[in-house]
PDB file of all heavy atoms in Angstrom:
ATOM      1  N   ASN A   8     -11.644 -23.542  15.023  1.00  0.00           N
ATOM      2  CA  ASN A   8     -10.966 -22.642  15.958  1.00  0.00           C
ATOM      3  C   ASN A   8      -9.665 -22.241  15.271  1.00  0.00           C
ATOM      4  O   ASN A   8      -8.951 -23.118  14.754  1.00  0.00           O
ATOM      5  CB  ASN A   8     -10.679 -23.404  17.257  1.00  0.00           C
ATOM      6  CG  ASN A   8      -9.686 -22.671  18.132  1.00  0.00           C
ATOM      7  OD1 ASN A   8      -8.494 -22.704  17.850  1.00  0.00           O
ATOM      8  ND2 ASN A   8     -10.161 -22.032  19.167  1.00  0.00           N
ATOM      9  N   PRO A   9      -9.354 -20.949  15.209  1.00  0.00           N
ATOM     10  CA  PRO A   9      -8.196 -20.522  14.417  1.00  0.00           C
ATOM     11  C   PRO A   9      -6.892 -21.246  14.758  1.00  0.00           C
ATOM     12  O   PRO A   9      -6.155 -21.642  13.854  1.00  0.00           O
ATOM     13  CB  PRO A   9      -8.110 -19.020  14.727  1.00  0.00           C
ATOM     14  CG  PRO A   9      -9.500 -18.630  15.045  1.00  0.00           C
ATOM     15  CD  PRO A   9     -10.103 -19.805  15.747  1.00  0.00           C
ATOM     16  N   THR A  10      -6.630 -21.455  16.056  1.00  0.00           N
ATOM     17  CA  THR A  10      -5.357 -22.088  16.412  1.00  0.00           C
ATOM     18  C   THR A  10      -5.334 -23.553  16.001  1.00  0.00           C
ATOM     19  O   THR A  10      -4.342 -24.044  15.447  1.00  0.00           O
ATOM     20  CB  THR A  10      -5.104 -21.951  17.929  1.00  0.00           C
ATOM     21  OG1 THR A  10      -5.056 -20.558  18.222  1.00  0.00           O
ATOM     22  CG2 THR A  10      -3.796 -22.587  18.324  1.00  0.00           C
ATOM     23  N   ARG A  11      -6.447 -24.254  16.265  1.00  0.00           N
ATOM     24  CA  ARG A  11      -6.504 -25.659  15.843  1.00  0.00           C
ATOM     25  C   ARG A  11      -6.427 -25.773  14.330  1.00  0.00           C
ATOM     26  O   ARG A  11      -5.792 -26.675  13.797  1.00  0.00           O
ATOM     27  CB  ARG A  11      -7.795 -26.313  16.348  1.00  0.00           C
ATOM     28  CG  ARG A  11      -7.695 -26.708  17.786  1.00  0.00           C
ATOM     29  CD  ARG A  11      -8.656 -27.841  18.103  1.00  0.00           C
ATOM     30  NE  ARG A  11      -8.498 -28.187  19.507  1.00  0.00           N
ATOM     31  CZ  ARG A  11      -9.509 -28.372  20.329  1.00  0.00           C
ATOM     32  NH1 ARG A  11     -10.729 -28.271  19.903  1.00  0.00           N
ATOM     33  NH2 ARG A  11      -9.284 -28.692  21.577  1.00  0.00           N
ATOM     34  N   PHE A  39      -3.138 -35.748 -22.875  1.00  0.00           N
ATOM     35  CA  PHE A  39      -2.336 -35.598 -24.098  1.00  0.00           C
ATOM     36  C   PHE A  39      -1.934 -36.925 -24.742  1.00  0.00           C
ATOM     37  O   PHE A  39      -1.643 -36.964 -25.925  1.00  0.00           O
ATOM     38  CB  PHE A  39      -1.086 -34.762 -23.808  1.00  0.00           C
ATOM     39  CG  PHE A  39      -1.384 -33.287 -23.753  1.00  0.00           C
ATOM     40  CD1 PHE A  39      -1.602 -32.642 -22.554  1.00  0.00           C
ATOM     41  CD2 PHE A  39      -1.502 -32.551 -24.931  1.00  0.00           C
ATOM     42  CE1 PHE A  39      -1.903 -31.298 -22.510  1.00  0.00           C
ATOM     43  CE2 PHE A  39      -1.799 -31.200 -24.903  1.00  0.00           C
ATOM     44  CZ  PHE A  39      -2.011 -30.569 -23.687  1.00  0.00           C
ATOM     45  N   ASN A  50      -8.475 -32.050 -32.144  1.00  0.00           N
ATOM     46  CA  ASN A  50      -7.590 -31.879 -30.991  1.00  0.00           C
ATOM     47  C   ASN A  50      -8.020 -30.763 -30.048  1.00  0.00           C
ATOM     48  O   ASN A  50      -7.560 -30.715 -28.911  1.00  0.00           O
ATOM     49  CB  ASN A  50      -6.165 -31.601 -31.482  1.00  0.00           C
ATOM     50  CG  ASN A  50      -5.377 -32.883 -31.622  1.00  0.00           C
ATOM     51  OD1 ASN A  50      -5.299 -33.680 -30.688  1.00  0.00           O
ATOM     52  ND2 ASN A  50      -4.804 -33.107 -32.795  1.00  0.00           N
ATOM     53  N   ARG A  53      -8.892 -31.038 -26.308  1.00  0.00           N
ATOM     54  CA  ARG A  53      -7.916 -31.058 -25.199  1.00  0.00           C
ATOM     55  C   ARG A  53      -8.002 -29.771 -24.360  1.00  0.00           C
ATOM     56  O   ARG A  53      -7.581 -29.766 -23.204  1.00  0.00           O
ATOM     57  CB  ARG A  53      -6.493 -31.269 -25.735  1.00  0.00           C
ATOM     58  CG  ARG A  53      -6.347 -32.608 -26.418  1.00  0.00           C
ATOM     59  CD  ARG A  53      -4.961 -32.946 -26.873  1.00  0.00           C
ATOM     60  NE  ARG A  53      -5.029 -33.903 -27.973  1.00  0.00           N
ATOM     61  CZ  ARG A  53      -5.319 -35.189 -27.839  1.00  0.00           C
ATOM     62  NH1 ARG A  53      -5.538 -35.689 -26.640  1.00  0.00           N
ATOM     63  NH2 ARG A  53      -5.400 -35.978 -28.880  1.00  0.00           N
ATOM     64  N   ILE A  57      -8.848 -28.392 -19.323  1.00  0.00           N
ATOM     65  CA  ILE A  57      -8.606 -27.302 -18.369  1.00  0.00           C
ATOM     66  C   ILE A  57      -9.825 -26.370 -18.260  1.00  0.00           C
ATOM     67  O   ILE A  57     -10.091 -25.823 -17.198  1.00  0.00           O
ATOM     68  CB  ILE A  57      -7.331 -26.469 -18.695  1.00  0.00           C
ATOM     69  CG1 ILE A  57      -7.214 -26.182 -20.174  1.00  0.00           C
ATOM     70  CG2 ILE A  57      -6.101 -27.130 -18.152  1.00  0.00           C
ATOM     71  CD1 ILE A  57      -6.072 -25.243 -20.509  1.00  0.00           C
ATOM     72  N   LEU A 104      -9.771 -17.991 -15.908  1.00  0.00           N
ATOM     73  CA  LEU A 104      -9.231 -19.098 -16.705  1.00  0.00           C
ATOM     74  C   LEU A 104     -10.329 -19.766 -17.548  1.00  0.00           C
ATOM     75  O   LEU A 104     -10.110 -20.084 -18.732  1.00  0.00           O
ATOM     76  CB  LEU A 104      -8.597 -20.117 -15.744  1.00  0.00           C
ATOM     77  CG  LEU A 104      -7.589 -21.104 -16.311  1.00  0.00           C
ATOM     78  CD1 LEU A 104      -6.497 -20.404 -17.085  1.00  0.00           C
ATOM     79  CD2 LEU A 104      -6.993 -21.921 -15.162  1.00  0.00           C
ATOM     80  N   LEU A 111     -10.627 -19.302 -26.235  1.00  0.00           N
ATOM     81  CA  LEU A 111      -9.641 -19.954 -27.106  1.00  0.00           C
ATOM     82  C   LEU A 111     -10.204 -21.236 -27.743  1.00  0.00           C
ATOM     83  O   LEU A 111      -9.717 -21.686 -28.774  1.00  0.00           O
ATOM     84  CB  LEU A 111      -8.366 -20.290 -26.307  1.00  0.00           C
ATOM     85  CG  LEU A 111      -7.453 -19.103 -26.034  1.00  0.00           C
ATOM     86  CD1 LEU A 111      -6.479 -19.407 -24.904  1.00  0.00           C
ATOM     87  CD2 LEU A 111      -6.677 -18.718 -27.293  1.00  0.00           C
ATOM     88  N   ASN A 224      -2.913 -17.497   5.609  1.00  0.00           N
ATOM     89  CA  ASN A 224      -2.384 -16.128   5.462  1.00  0.00           C
ATOM     90  C   ASN A 224      -3.337 -15.100   6.066  1.00  0.00           C
ATOM     91  O   ASN A 224      -2.920 -14.139   6.701  1.00  0.00           O
ATOM     92  CB  ASN A 224      -2.157 -15.796   3.984  1.00  0.00           C
ATOM     93  CG  ASN A 224      -1.059 -16.632   3.378  1.00  0.00           C
ATOM     94  OD1 ASN A 224      -0.323 -17.302   4.090  1.00  0.00           O
ATOM     95  ND2 ASN A 224      -0.944 -16.595   2.060  1.00  0.00           N
ATOM     96  N   ARG A 228      -2.752 -12.512   9.011  1.00  0.00           N
ATOM     97  CA  ARG A 228      -2.954 -11.075   8.766  1.00  0.00           C
ATOM     98  C   ARG A 228      -3.797 -10.460   9.898  1.00  0.00           C
ATOM     99  O   ARG A 228      -3.536  -9.373  10.357  1.00  0.00           O
ATOM    100  CB  ARG A 228      -3.659 -10.873   7.417  1.00  0.00           C
ATOM    101  CG  ARG A 228      -3.533  -9.458   6.882  1.00  0.00           C
ATOM    102  CD  ARG A 228      -4.171  -9.233   5.519  1.00  0.00           C
ATOM    103  NE  ARG A 228      -4.499 -10.410   4.755  1.00  0.00           N
ATOM    104  CZ  ARG A 228      -3.669 -10.991   3.892  1.00  0.00           C
ATOM    105  NH1 ARG A 228      -2.481 -10.497   3.675  1.00  0.00           N
ATOM    106  NH2 ARG A 228      -4.045 -12.060   3.227  1.00  0.00           N
ATOM    107  N   ARG A 230      -4.174 -11.680  13.009  1.00  0.00           N
ATOM    108  CA  ARG A 230      -3.386 -11.686  14.251  1.00  0.00           C
ATOM    109  C   ARG A 230      -2.443 -10.485  14.260  1.00  0.00           C
ATOM    110  O   ARG A 230      -2.312  -9.789  15.266  1.00  0.00           O
ATOM    111  CB  ARG A 230      -2.553 -12.967  14.339  1.00  0.00           C
ATOM    112  CG  ARG A 230      -3.371 -14.148  14.795  1.00  0.00           C
ATOM    113  CD  ARG A 230      -2.501 -15.369  14.939  1.00  0.00           C
ATOM    114  NE  ARG A 230      -3.324 -16.514  15.303  1.00  0.00           N
ATOM    115  CZ  ARG A 230      -2.889 -17.758  15.318  1.00  0.00           C
ATOM    116  NH1 ARG A 230      -1.647 -18.018  14.975  1.00  0.00           N
ATOM    117  NH2 ARG A 230      -3.688 -18.732  15.666  1.00  0.00           N
ATOM    118  N   LEU A 231      -1.821 -10.272  13.119  1.00  0.00           N
ATOM    119  CA  LEU A 231      -0.875  -9.164  12.973  1.00  0.00           C
ATOM    120  C   LEU A 231      -1.575  -7.837  13.225  1.00  0.00           C
ATOM    121  O   LEU A 231      -1.066  -6.970  13.956  1.00  0.00           O
ATOM    122  CB  LEU A 231      -0.282  -9.204  11.563  1.00  0.00           C
ATOM    123  CG  LEU A 231       0.857  -8.266  11.235  1.00  0.00           C
ATOM    124  CD1 LEU A 231       2.076  -8.620  12.064  1.00  0.00           C
ATOM    125  CD2 LEU A 231       1.206  -8.359   9.756  1.00  0.00           C
ATOM    126  N   MET A 234      -2.348  -7.364  16.903  1.00  0.00           N
ATOM    127  CA  MET A 234      -1.125  -7.083  17.668  1.00  0.00           C
ATOM    128  C   MET A 234      -0.656  -5.656  17.428  1.00  0.00           C
ATOM    129  O   MET A 234      -0.219  -4.968  18.353  1.00  0.00           O
ATOM    130  CB  MET A 234      -0.022  -8.088  17.281  1.00  0.00           C
ATOM    131  CG  MET A 234      -0.228  -9.466  17.902  1.00  0.00           C
ATOM    132  SD  MET A 234       0.778 -10.733  17.117  1.00  0.00           S
ATOM    133  CE  MET A 234       2.409 -10.280  17.628  1.00  0.00           C
ATOM    134  N   ARG A 237      -2.866  -3.346  19.340  1.00  0.00           N
ATOM    135  CA  ARG A 237      -2.546  -3.418  20.768  1.00  0.00           C
ATOM    136  C   ARG A 237      -1.278  -2.621  21.062  1.00  0.00           C
ATOM    137  O   ARG A 237      -1.199  -1.900  22.058  1.00  0.00           O
ATOM    138  CB  ARG A 237      -2.368  -4.890  21.145  1.00  0.00           C
ATOM    139  CG  ARG A 237      -2.435  -5.123  22.613  1.00  0.00           C
ATOM    140  CD  ARG A 237      -2.667  -6.584  22.919  1.00  0.00           C
ATOM    141  NE  ARG A 237      -1.934  -6.903  24.121  1.00  0.00           N
ATOM    142  CZ  ARG A 237      -0.831  -7.621  24.151  1.00  0.00           C
ATOM    143  NH1 ARG A 237      -0.355  -8.125  23.050  1.00  0.00           N
ATOM    144  NH2 ARG A 237      -0.225  -7.843  25.285  1.00  0.00           N
ATOM    145  N   ALA A 238      -0.284  -2.767  20.167  1.00  0.00           N
ATOM    146  CA  ALA A 238       0.972  -2.037  20.356  1.00  0.00           C
ATOM    147  C   ALA A 238       0.727  -0.533  20.300  1.00  0.00           C
ATOM    148  O   ALA A 238       1.292   0.227  21.089  1.00  0.00           O
ATOM    149  CB  ALA A 238       1.969  -2.455  19.277  1.00  0.00           C
TER     150      ALA A 238
ATOM    151  N   PRO B   7       1.748 -32.447 -33.877  1.00  0.00           N
ATOM    152  CA  PRO B   7       0.742 -33.517 -33.723  1.00  0.00           C
ATOM    153  C   PRO B   7      -0.657 -32.997 -33.391  1.00  0.00           C
ATOM    154  O   PRO B   7      -1.627 -33.738 -33.530  1.00  0.00           O
ATOM    155  CB  PRO B   7       1.290 -34.359 -32.562  1.00  0.00           C
ATOM    156  CG  PRO B   7       2.723 -34.005 -32.436  1.00  0.00           C
ATOM    157  CD  PRO B   7       2.853 -32.605 -32.926  1.00  0.00           C
ATOM    158  N   PHE B   8      -0.759 -31.739 -32.939  1.00  0.00           N
ATOM    159  CA  PHE B   8      -2.068 -31.221 -32.537  1.00  0.00           C
ATOM    160  C   PHE B   8      -2.797 -30.488 -33.658  1.00  0.00           C
ATOM    161  O   PHE B   8      -3.824 -29.833 -33.428  1.00  0.00           O
ATOM    162  CB  PHE B   8      -1.920 -30.338 -31.295  1.00  0.00           C
ATOM    163  CG  PHE B   8      -1.370 -31.101 -30.133  1.00  0.00           C
ATOM    164  CD1 PHE B   8      -0.077 -30.894 -29.697  1.00  0.00           C
ATOM    165  CD2 PHE B   8      -2.124 -32.078 -29.512  1.00  0.00           C
ATOM    166  CE1 PHE B   8       0.447 -31.636 -28.655  1.00  0.00           C
ATOM    167  CE2 PHE B   8      -1.614 -32.827 -28.472  1.00  0.00           C
ATOM    168  CZ  PHE B   8      -0.312 -32.601 -28.036  1.00  0.00           C
ATOM    169  N   PHE B  14      -4.076 -22.630 -30.533  1.00  0.00           N
ATOM    170  CA  PHE B  14      -5.140 -22.377 -29.549  1.00  0.00           C
ATOM    171  C   PHE B  14      -4.941 -23.266 -28.309  1.00  0.00           C
ATOM    172  O   PHE B  14      -5.118 -22.818 -27.176  1.00  0.00           O
ATOM    173  CB  PHE B  14      -6.519 -22.658 -30.157  1.00  0.00           C
ATOM    174  CG  PHE B  14      -6.901 -21.686 -31.238  1.00  0.00           C
ATOM    175  CD1 PHE B  14      -6.753 -22.010 -32.582  1.00  0.00           C
ATOM    176  CD2 PHE B  14      -7.414 -20.442 -30.907  1.00  0.00           C
ATOM    177  CE1 PHE B  14      -7.105 -21.117 -33.567  1.00  0.00           C
ATOM    178  CE2 PHE B  14      -7.772 -19.531 -31.899  1.00  0.00           C
ATOM    179  CZ  PHE B  14      -7.605 -19.875 -33.239  1.00  0.00           C
ATOM    180  N   ILE B  15      -4.566 -24.539 -28.560  1.00  0.00           N
ATOM    181  CA  ILE B  15      -4.366 -25.484 -27.443  1.00  0.00           C
ATOM    182  C   ILE B  15      -3.167 -25.028 -26.612  1.00  0.00           C
ATOM    183  O   ILE B  15      -3.248 -24.966 -25.374  1.00  0.00           O
ATOM    184  CB  ILE B  15      -4.149 -26.917 -27.984  1.00  0.00           C
ATOM    185  CG1 ILE B  15      -5.357 -27.353 -28.817  1.00  0.00           C
ATOM    186  CG2 ILE B  15      -3.886 -27.906 -26.846  1.00  0.00           C
ATOM    187  CD1 ILE B  15      -5.121 -28.586 -29.677  1.00  0.00           C
ATOM    188  N   ALA B  18      -4.009 -21.944 -24.534  1.00  0.00           N
ATOM    189  CA  ALA B  18      -4.890 -22.250 -23.392  1.00  0.00           C
ATOM    190  C   ALA B  18      -4.074 -22.848 -22.248  1.00  0.00           C
ATOM    191  O   ALA B  18      -4.239 -22.441 -21.078  1.00  0.00           O
ATOM    192  CB  ALA B  18      -5.995 -23.213 -23.830  1.00  0.00           C
ATOM    193  N   TYR B  19      -3.197 -23.806 -22.555  1.00  0.00           N
ATOM    194  CA  TYR B  19      -2.399 -24.443 -21.492  1.00  0.00           C
ATOM    195  C   TYR B  19      -1.363 -23.471 -20.920  1.00  0.00           C
ATOM    196  O   TYR B  19      -1.086 -23.486 -19.713  1.00  0.00           O
ATOM    197  CB  TYR B  19      -1.755 -25.745 -21.999  1.00  0.00           C
ATOM    198  CG  TYR B  19      -2.729 -26.910 -21.931  1.00  0.00           C
ATOM    199  CD1 TYR B  19      -3.633 -27.148 -22.972  1.00  0.00           C
ATOM    200  CD2 TYR B  19      -2.778 -27.733 -20.817  1.00  0.00           C
ATOM    201  CE1 TYR B  19      -4.555 -28.179 -22.910  1.00  0.00           C
ATOM    202  CE2 TYR B  19      -3.699 -28.778 -20.740  1.00  0.00           C
ATOM    203  CZ  TYR B  19      -4.577 -28.999 -21.792  1.00  0.00           C
ATOM    204  OH  TYR B  19      -5.500 -30.025 -21.712  1.00  0.00           O
ATOM    205  N   ALA B  22      -3.144 -21.237 -18.556  1.00  0.00           N
ATOM    206  CA  ALA B  22      -3.501 -21.988 -17.334  1.00  0.00           C
ATOM    207  C   ALA B  22      -2.283 -22.114 -16.420  1.00  0.00           C
ATOM    208  O   ALA B  22      -2.391 -21.900 -15.205  1.00  0.00           O
ATOM    209  CB  ALA B  22      -4.028 -23.368 -17.710  1.00  0.00           C
ATOM    210  N   VAL B  33       0.209 -16.944  -2.872  1.00  0.00           N
ATOM    211  CA  VAL B  33      -0.041 -17.436  -1.501  1.00  0.00           C
ATOM    212  C   VAL B  33       1.274 -17.650  -0.749  1.00  0.00           C
ATOM    213  O   VAL B  33       1.349 -17.373   0.450  1.00  0.00           O
ATOM    214  CB  VAL B  33      -0.902 -18.736  -1.424  1.00  0.00           C
ATOM    215  CG1 VAL B  33      -2.306 -18.489  -1.859  1.00  0.00           C
ATOM    216  CG2 VAL B  33      -0.301 -19.887  -2.151  1.00  0.00           C
ATOM    217  N   ASP B  36       2.701 -14.052   0.119  1.00  0.00           N
ATOM    218  CA  ASP B  36       1.846 -13.412   1.119  1.00  0.00           C
ATOM    219  C   ASP B  36       2.067 -14.053   2.485  1.00  0.00           C
ATOM    220  O   ASP B  36       2.198 -13.350   3.495  1.00  0.00           O
ATOM    221  CB  ASP B  36       0.373 -13.545   0.687  1.00  0.00           C
ATOM    222  CG  ASP B  36      -0.557 -12.734   1.574  1.00  0.00           C
ATOM    223  OD1 ASP B  36      -0.112 -11.698   2.101  1.00  0.00           O
ATOM    224  OD2 ASP B  36      -1.730 -13.136   1.744  1.00  0.00           O
ATOM    225  N   GLY B  37       2.150 -15.387   2.526  1.00  0.00           N
ATOM    226  CA  GLY B  37       2.385 -16.097   3.782  1.00  0.00           C
ATOM    227  C   GLY B  37       3.726 -15.711   4.386  1.00  0.00           C
ATOM    228  O   GLY B  37       3.818 -15.436   5.591  1.00  0.00           O
ATOM    229  N   GLN B  40       3.518 -12.173   5.885  1.00  0.00           N
ATOM    230  CA  GLN B  40       2.802 -12.112   7.171  1.00  0.00           C
ATOM    231  C   GLN B  40       3.675 -12.657   8.294  1.00  0.00           C
ATOM    232  O   GLN B  40       3.738 -12.072   9.378  1.00  0.00           O
ATOM    233  CB  GLN B  40       1.486 -12.915   7.110  1.00  0.00           C
ATOM    234  CG  GLN B  40       0.497 -12.490   6.042  1.00  0.00           C
ATOM    235  CD  GLN B  40       0.176 -11.015   6.081  1.00  0.00           C
ATOM    236  OE1 GLN B  40       0.080 -10.426   7.142  1.00  0.00           O
ATOM    237  NE2 GLN B  40       0.014 -10.417   4.921  1.00  0.00           N
ATOM    238  N   GLN B  43       6.419 -10.225   9.288  1.00  0.00           N
ATOM    239  CA  GLN B  43       5.922  -9.090  10.079  1.00  0.00           C
ATOM    240  C   GLN B  43       5.579  -9.514  11.511  1.00  0.00           C
ATOM    241  O   GLN B  43       5.845  -8.779  12.458  1.00  0.00           O
ATOM    242  CB  GLN B  43       4.692  -8.489   9.400  1.00  0.00           C
ATOM    243  CG  GLN B  43       5.050  -7.640   8.184  1.00  0.00           C
ATOM    244  CD  GLN B  43       3.881  -6.781   7.777  1.00  0.00           C
ATOM    245  OE1 GLN B  43       2.834  -7.295   7.417  1.00  0.00           O
ATOM    246  NE2 GLN B  43       4.038  -5.477   7.841  1.00  0.00           N
ATOM    247  N   ILE B  52       6.125  -7.500  21.370  1.00  0.00           N
ATOM    248  CA  ILE B  52       4.650  -7.428  21.275  1.00  0.00           C
ATOM    249  C   ILE B  52       4.138  -8.845  21.016  1.00  0.00           C
ATOM    250  O   ILE B  52       4.506  -9.462  20.021  1.00  0.00           O
ATOM    251  CB  ILE B  52       4.215  -6.474  20.150  1.00  0.00           C
ATOM    252  CG1 ILE B  52       4.779  -5.085  20.428  1.00  0.00           C
ATOM    253  CG2 ILE B  52       2.699  -6.439  20.024  1.00  0.00           C
ATOM    254  CD1 ILE B  52       4.899  -4.234  19.205  1.00  0.00           C
ATOM    255  N   ARG B  53       3.311  -9.334  21.927  1.00  0.00           N
ATOM    256  CA  ARG B  53       2.809 -10.700  21.801  1.00  0.00           C
ATOM    257  C   ARG B  53       1.295 -10.681  21.679  1.00  0.00           C
ATOM    258  O   ARG B  53       0.659  -9.659  21.898  1.00  0.00           O
ATOM    259  CB  ARG B  53       3.220 -11.545  23.004  1.00  0.00           C
ATOM    260  CG  ARG B  53       4.701 -11.509  23.261  1.00  0.00           C
ATOM    261  CD  ARG B  53       5.240 -12.822  23.764  1.00  0.00           C
ATOM    262  NE  ARG B  53       6.708 -12.814  23.672  1.00  0.00           N
ATOM    263  CZ  ARG B  53       7.383 -13.289  22.652  1.00  0.00           C
ATOM    264  NH1 ARG B  53       6.772 -13.856  21.642  1.00  0.00           N
ATOM    265  NH2 ARG B  53       8.712 -13.226  22.627  1.00  0.00           N
ATOM    266  N   ASP B  60      -7.900 -17.341  20.880  1.00  0.00           N
ATOM    267  CA  ASP B  60      -6.782 -18.141  20.381  1.00  0.00           C
ATOM    268  C   ASP B  60      -5.815 -18.488  21.498  1.00  0.00           C
ATOM    269  O   ASP B  60      -5.339 -19.596  21.612  1.00  0.00           O
ATOM    270  CB  ASP B  60      -6.010 -17.359  19.321  1.00  0.00           C
ATOM    271  CG  ASP B  60      -6.630 -17.541  17.964  1.00  0.00           C
ATOM    272  OD1 ASP B  60      -7.764 -18.052  17.920  1.00  0.00           O
ATOM    273  OD2 ASP B  60      -5.982 -17.173  16.979  1.00  0.00           O
ATOM    274  N   GLU B  63      -7.056 -21.105  23.759  1.00  0.00           N
ATOM    275  CA  GLU B  63      -6.961 -22.411  23.108  1.00  0.00           C
ATOM    276  C   GLU B  63      -5.516 -22.909  23.136  1.00  0.00           C
ATOM    277  O   GLU B  63      -5.252 -24.077  23.368  1.00  0.00           O
ATOM    278  CB  GLU B  63      -7.466 -22.288  21.661  1.00  0.00           C
ATOM    279  CG  GLU B  63      -7.630 -23.598  20.948  1.00  0.00           C
ATOM    280  CD  GLU B  63      -8.665 -24.492  21.607  1.00  0.00           C
ATOM    281  OE1 GLU B  63      -9.627 -23.973  22.208  1.00  0.00           O
ATOM    282  OE2 GLU B  63      -8.472 -25.710  21.541  1.00  0.00           O
ATOM    283  N   ASP B  64      -4.567 -21.983  22.920  1.00  0.00           N
ATOM    284  CA  ASP B  64      -3.155 -22.346  22.950  1.00  0.00           C
ATOM    285  C   ASP B  64      -2.791 -22.965  24.299  1.00  0.00           C
ATOM    286  O   ASP B  64      -2.050 -23.919  24.374  1.00  0.00           O
ATOM    287  CB  ASP B  64      -2.279 -21.107  22.725  1.00  0.00           C
ATOM    288  CG  ASP B  64      -2.221 -20.741  21.261  1.00  0.00           C
ATOM    289  OD1 ASP B  64      -2.598 -21.583  20.436  1.00  0.00           O
ATOM    290  OD2 ASP B  64      -1.812 -19.608  20.954  1.00  0.00           O
TER     291      ASP B  64
END
Side-chain angles (χ1 to χ4, degrees):
Chain A
N8 166 283
T10 300
R11 280 205 179 134
F39 281 97
N50 268 307
R53 297 185 205 285
I57 43 173
L104 200 52
L111 283 162
N224 293 348
R228 198 178 344 270
R230 281 183 183 170
L231 188 65
M234 284 165 69
R237 197 163 145 253
Chain B
F8 299 108
F14 292 99
I15 301 166
Y19 277 85
V33 292
D36 188 30
Q40 302 307 323
Q43 284 195 298
I52 301 157
R53 307 216 166 266
D60 274 13
E63 189 62 30
D64 281 345

